Amino acid sequence: MLSLVQTVRKWYEAETRYLSYAQPVLLLALRLYFGYGFVKAGLGKLEDVETTAGFFADWGIPLPTLNVYLAGTTECVGGLLLLLGFASRVVTIPLIGTMLVAYATAHKEVVQALWSNPNLFVKAPPFLYLLTALLVLCFGPGTISIDGLIKYWFGRKATVPGADGVPGDGRVRAAGPPTTARG
């Protein structure tokens, strides 16, 4: 019985180790697809401000022209940064805000039917953008990103033996006289 448990444990550990390699690829694919979608949506707003301001006014958004510029710029800049994976966790916060405003205004009926018909909420256009922004906020952009490159670069500099007074193996030792092999 112990052998069976050990075998299952080894399989489980191998599965989680190999599947963890898919995480950066999945995060990259989400960032590229939905980051591009954010940029495209933001450009669409900024290219036709008057029409979009009319939609915003119909949805009851105050100062519609100003909000078109704010939403369009947020989606363009935020989408580009999300696509590149630069300052990703910070930039997802305003993107989440724009998606929540989209739900509260353009898709109000979907939010009102959230508990009676949750499929409407999930099928609404802002859902996948909101979900992607939430995933990147919680898990980061992944290693295949500018943020990942910066983390790698700073991590490498910090591991230079003796550079920061910490031994090269990363262990912190107690202060005091060095110990000898004899004890």
Side-chain angles (χ1 to χ4, degrees):
M1 183 67 175
L2 185 60
S3 176
L4 176 64
V5 171
Q6 289 174 341
T7 302
V8 169
R9 180 179 176 191
K10 285 181 184 179
W11 286 351
Y12 174 75
E13 289 172 351
E15 174 190 20
T16 56
R17 183 175 54 250
Y18 291 124
L19 286 176
S20 70
Y21 292 122
Q23 182 183 11
V25 177
L26 174 66
L27 289 168
L28 174 66
L30 289 172
R31 282 192 0 261
L32 291 177
Y33 184 81
F34 291 102
Y36 176 73
F38 272 120
V39 170
K40 207 169 149 184
L43 285 175
K45 286 177 180 66
L46 295 174
E47 287 174 350
D48 195 4
V49 174
E50 294 304 318
T51 304
T52 308
F55 287 131
F56 278 25
D58 291 343
W59 294 326
I61 296 175
L63 302 168
T65 305
L66 174 65
N67 279 303
V68 168
Y69 284 113
L70 288 175
T73 303
T74 299
E75 289 177 357
C76 281
V77 174
L80 181 63
L81 292 174
L82 183 66
L83 190 136
L84 296 172
F86 184 65
S88 301
R89 286 187 162 166
V90 174
V91 82
T92 58
I93 295 168
L95 291 174
I96 290 168
T98 59
M99 293 301 98
L100 292 176
V101 169
Y103 265 122
T105 57
H107 304 282
K108 195 182 312 183
E109 70 284 347
V110 170
V111 176
Q112 292 169 347
L114 179 61
W115 301 114
S116 61
N117 190 358
N119 287 334
L120 290 176
F121 186 82
V122 173
K123 290 180 181 178
F127 178 75
L128 291 176
Y129 291 92
L130 177 63
L131 180 63
T132 298
L134 287 169
L135 286 171
V136 173
L137 176 67
C138 291
F139 299 112
T143 55
I144 309 170
S145 64
I146 293 176
D147 287 346
L149 184 64
I150 290 170
K151 182 178 177 182
Y152 172 77
W153 188 72
F154 281 127
R156 278 189 59 178
K157 289 189 90 130
T159 59
V160 174
D164 56 355
V166 178
D169 61 4
R171 291 183 286 161
V172 177
R173 293 189 177 89
T179 58
T180 62
R182 286 182 252 146

